[in-house]
Amino acid sequence: MTRDQIMAMIKDKNVTILRLQFVDIFGSIKNIAIPRSQIEKALDGKIMFDGSSIEGFVRINESDMHLKPDYNTFVLLPWREKDGCNAGRIICDVYKPDGSPFVGCPRNNLKRVLEEAKRLGFTMNVGTECEFFLFRRDQNGRPTTITDDVTGYFDAEPDDGGLDCRRKIIQTLEAMGFEIEASHHEGAEGQHEINFKYSDAVTAADNTITYKWAVRSIASEFGLHATFMPKPIFGINGSGMHTNQSLFNLDGANAFYDEKGPLQLSEIAYKYIAGILKNARGFAAVTNPLVNSYKRLVTGYEAPVYVAWSASNRSALVRIPSSRGLSTRTEVRCPDPACNPYLAFAMMLASGLDGIRNNLTLPPSTDVDIYEMTTAEKTAAGIASLPANLYEAVQELKASPIAKETLGSHIFAKYIEGKEKEWDNYRLAVTDWEVNNYLSRY
């Protein structure tokens, strides 16, 4: 989309507000809303903001930042249309006053890692499967963990509020240009999934952020709260963000596909998977960024706890979906929807490229249920586990041989600082579990 096309749409659709969006290093959407009179200035990249007020960005003495819009991300917001007036959204990259990209901008960082892949002859395509829960709000509008939905995996749901809400979400996403492939109820009560078509890595990250925003916005119209928290309720499945990914050659051929190779996978695919497995413990703090993330990564709920791969086994970290040709891909199953997709994609891509650069050998596939294996059997098979908690994951991130280079020194340091603070806050908190178990006994 061009600047002129955007201005024509703004005039035709009577866009009176434009939201300039970007994300901080922890994946939270930030936004500046500007009136019609300032839109041309915004499209020329002349809107500034105080970067020192954004967690993980810059100090107060170097706070001026510019928002450089990506014209291809302009879209109308269907839920904001009112009385013939519309609102639009455009995603921006963050730049410094001297015109250089800000290294703390996650979107800029992903583009940098993609340039490294391009130098090796590859582009990256990604498709995410983002699960979420729909919960009721209380009488004061605060979110609860209560749902009226008692439906299970792939069940034909009753025509209740949750189904109506999901239908409206799909209609909204389609109006915003998403190609929706399928939607269904997930395994837990109140849990849903909507799948949309894969795209290049930057667009996929943009779409994932937009998807989460749209889901929350439409849910609120139904008096519901949509949450992408990895494990909101004890004892039932958590929400994952299975991340399908593939490398394409610069001529448009799928670099993972080899009609004559084992499983019709290429050597590039096997090396890429080997890199994912080698670096999985090191990128977990990015793909699974919350204290709560590790309440999901436990055995018994189809969560991928073990660092292994298989063509079909869903207890493994990496699965190979059956589609071939242009659809040949790997599915990395550990990420959850709380992650910053720009950073998560960058870390997984760099991990796979590490396998390609260093000609890593992929261990044999694990085609049995790993949950049923004994500790001795897992040790003999060389199957490691993902970190057990955020503290362990952060230590692995610090020790990763590729993390600092992949995230850049700025994001690497600020991200670790933020996650260590989060862990300390959790470690020092007195929880309801402790009060319920200890208060009357001691």
Side-chain angles (χ1 to χ4, degrees), residues 250-293:
L250 300 184
D251 63 4
N254 190 322
F256 282 3
Y257 177 62
D258 181 352
E259 185 178 8
K260 298 179 179 179
L263 299 177
Q264 294 188 310
L265 297 178
S266 69
E267 286 299 312
I268 292 294
Y270 285 115
K271 292 173 184 177
Y272 187 95
I273 298 168
I276 292 287
L277 298 186
K278 171 192 170 186
N279 293 287
R281 287 180 56 84
F283 65 59
V286 176
T287 56
N288 305 87
L290 307 183
V291 167
N292 182 255
S293 296

Side-chain angles (χ1 to χ4, degrees), residues 187-224:
E189 295 177 358
Q191 190 180 34
H192 302 264
E193 182 179 312
I194 299 171
N195 301 134
F196 48 91
K197 188 175 181 179
Y198 74 89
S199 53
D200 67 90
V202 172
T203 301
D206 292 343
N207 286 345
T208 300
I209 291 291
T210 301
Y211 164 83
K212 291 164 63 176
W213 185 41
V215 168
R216 291 194 189 100
S217 298
I218 301 306
S220 68
E221 292 184 0
F222 285 78
L224 299 171

Side-chain angles (χ1 to χ4, degrees), residues 130-182:
C130 243
E131 298 168 343
F132 61 94
F133 281 86
L134 291 175
F135 292 132
R136 287 184 355 207
R137 294 178 182 268
D138 66 18
Q139 60 185 6
N140 297 313
R142 293 187 293 262
T144 71
T145 55
I146 300 170
T147 176
D148 295 322
D149 169 3
V150 294
T151 311
Y153 186 71
F154 260 51
D155 282 351
E157 301 120 295
D159 195 14
D160 60 13
L163 181 59
D164 289 342
C165 178
R166 200 174 79 209
R167 183 185 301 114
K168 180 67 178 293
I169 291 169
I170 291 170
Q171 292 169 346
T172 300
L173 291 170
E174 288 182 326
M176 297 176 75
F178 281 69
E179 184 176 335
I180 303 299
E181 296 183 328

Side-chain angles (χ1 to χ4, degrees), residues 207-391:
N207 286 345
T208 300
I209 291 291
T210 301
Y211 164 83
K212 291 164 63 176
W213 185 41
V215 168
R216 291 194 189 100
S217 298
I218 301 306
S220 68
E221 292 184 0
F222 285 78
L224 299 171
H225 175 69
T227 182
F228 292 91
M229 181 178 176
K231 187 80 168 184
I233 300 177
F234 169 75
I236 65 175
N237 289 357
S239 290
M241 191 185 80
H242 299 164
T243 303
N244 295 273
Q245 50 202 274
S246 57
L247 296 183
F248 273 55
N249 298 322
L250 300 184
D251 63 4
N254 190 322
F256 282 3
Y257 177 62
D258 181 352
E259 185 178 8
K260 298 179 179 179
L263 299 177
Q264 294 188 310
L265 297 178
S266 69
E267 286 299 312
I268 292 294
Y270 285 115
K271 292 173 184 177
Y272 187 95
I273 298 168
I276 292 287
L277 298 186
K278 171 192 170 186
N279 293 287
R281 287 180 56 84
F283 65 59
V286 176
T287 56
N288 305 87
L290 307 183
V291 167
N292 182 255
S293 296
Y294 298 87
K295 308 293 178 73
R296 167 181 168 255
L297 293 176
V298 295
T299 59
Y301 299 97
E302 292 194 7
V305 181
Y306 301 111
V307 182
W309 76 280
S310 174
S312 58
N313 185 359
R314 293 177 185 268
S315 64
L317 177 74
V318 178
R319 187 178 75 91
I320 312 299
S322 59
S323 299
R324 291 296 181 266
L326 289 176
S327 298
T328 307
R329 62 194 187 275
T330 65
E331 179 189 67
V332 182
R333 296 171 59 80
C334 65
D336 66 53
C339 74
N340 181 333
Y342 301 99
L343 300 186
F345 297 172
M347 285 298 297
M348 287 185 281
L349 173 59
S351 297
L353 294 179
D354 181 42
I356 293 170
R357 286 194 185 98
N358 293 295
N359 293 310
L360 298 184
T361 300
L362 185 65
S365 64
T366 304
D367 299 321
V368 298
D369 187 347
I370 306 175
Y371 302 139
E372 300 296 325
M373 296 175 69
T374 65
T375 301
E377 288 172 334
K378 291 194 287 278
T379 300
I383 298 174
S385 297
L386 289 174
N389 54 53
L390 182 61
Y391 175 81

